[in-house]
Amino acid sequence: MVKQPLVVASIPIRNVKDLEIALSIKDADYVELRLDYYSSPERIDYTMFANGRFIATLREKSEGGVNSFDPNVKKSLIMLWRKLGILYDVEASFIEKYSVEYNNAIVSIHILSEPKNIIEVENKVIKYLDKAFVVKIAVVPFKGYKSFLAKLLELGENVAVMPMNVEPRERIAFALLGSKLVYGYVTEPTANGQMHYKKIREVLNLFENIN
């Protein structure tokens, strides 16, 4: 039986007000702090998010992030988040380049063009499955991408998949097929194709109640 996915409310963090909004959200399984929107994420007091339902994401610009940051800043923040018990999202490419810890983290793989070797992507997902909380794969549409994402879901329960630049119903469809996480926006979409996280919850609950 496919479990209902965890709903993530994603919010761009640009100022203190956005942090306050993030703290106020109680009706999502997780709240993602998109910290790459912030000019100086190292200045944030992360103790307020310790051991909570928050995901810290400092997305690399090469994988869809907004601003660029010194890798040492990101490495230091990852160590801090681990110390505070904050779930964080880190790219597989960053792990491979800087050897940062990813145990119980979200490991992300962003495919922004048609992959040259699909088997290589599958092997990369398998590589991180044992230790990661979730391995998340996001792709832009290419020929066969739907069957590709569906196949990745067969690799294990801790896999999340999502197409980008598509209609929101496609994201919901993969959530219903078994994606562990589904992302929705709070104040504005952080990726093309997102719907509001409250609407996602409504749709999922509707299917949950079907006998």
Side-chain angles (χ1 to χ4, degrees):
M1 181 179 178
V2 176
K3 296 180 181 178
Q4 189 174 91
L6 299 169
V7 175
V8 180
S10 183
I11 178 170
I13 302 298
R14 295 188 176 93
N15 49 50
V16 173
K17 182 180 179 181
D18 292 330
L19 293 172
E20 292 172 348
I21 293 172
L23 286 167
S24 72
I25 297 171
K26 307 299 182 185
D27 53 350
D29 295 300
Y30 287 95
V31 178
E32 181 190 41
L33 311 173
R34 277 295 301 269
L35 299 164
D36 48 285
Y37 286 78
Y38 204 87
S39 58
S40 301
E42 69 277 13
R43 297 181 181 178
I44 294 173
D45 177 9
Y46 291 100
T47 59
M48 66 181 113
F49 302 105
N51 299 307
R53 302 169 298 102
F54 299 95
I55 300 170
T57 301
L58 188 60
R59 179 68 65 231
E60 293 293 295
K61 194 169 185 178
S62 61
E63 298 202 24
V66 175
N67 293 305
S68 298
F69 299 94
D70 185 328
N72 290 318
V73 169
K74 185 166 180 173
K75 289 165 66 177
S76 296
L77 284 173
I78 286 174
M79 288 189 287
L80 174 62
W81 297 332
R82 290 190 67 81
K83 182 179 179 181
L84 294 174
I86 299 173
L87 179 61
Y88 58 90
D89 181 318
V90 60
E91 300 84 0
S93 58
F94 194 86
I95 295 170
E96 292 160 4
K97 190 172 183 178
Y98 298 104
S99 300
V100 298
E101 181 58 67
Y102 64 90
N103 186 42
N104 290 322
I106 297 172
V107 176
S108 287
I109 301 169
H110 295 87
I111 301 174
L112 304 180
S113 60
E114 184 170 356
K116 296 179 180 178
N117 190 328
I118 288 178
I119 300 299
E120 188 176 285
V121 177
E122 293 177 5
N123 289 338
K124 183 172 288 191
V125 172
I126 293 169
K127 173 183 177 180
Y128 292 107
L129 271 182
D130 286 346
K131 291 178 63 178
F133 171 65
V134 175
V135 179
K136 176 167 68 72
I137 308 93
V139 306
V140 295
F142 59 88
K143 186 177 181 180
Y145 76 94
K146 293 177 184 177
S147 58
F148 169 64
L149 292 180
K151 186 176 181 181
L152 292 180
L153 289 176
E154 298 292 337
L155 296 178
E157 293 184 356
N158 295 337
V159 176
V161 302
M162 54 209 66
M164 298 181 286
N165 305 332
V166 298
E167 292 293 324
R169 58 190 175 186
E170 279 198 30
R171 284 179 166 242
I172 289 290
F174 283 105
L176 295 172
L177 284 173
S179 179
K180 186 165 183 176
L181 303 175
V182 57
Y183 286 68
Y185 71 87
V186 178
T187 53
E188 63 184 86
T190 55
N192 290 333
Q194 282 184 351
M195 66 171 62
H196 197 278
Y197 80 95
K198 289 181 181 288
K199 179 62 68 174
I200 291 175
R201 180 70 78 189
E202 289 176 10
V203 174
L204 294 177
N205 287 341
L206 178 64
F207 278 93
E208 187 75 9
N209 295 325
I210 294 176
N211 294 321

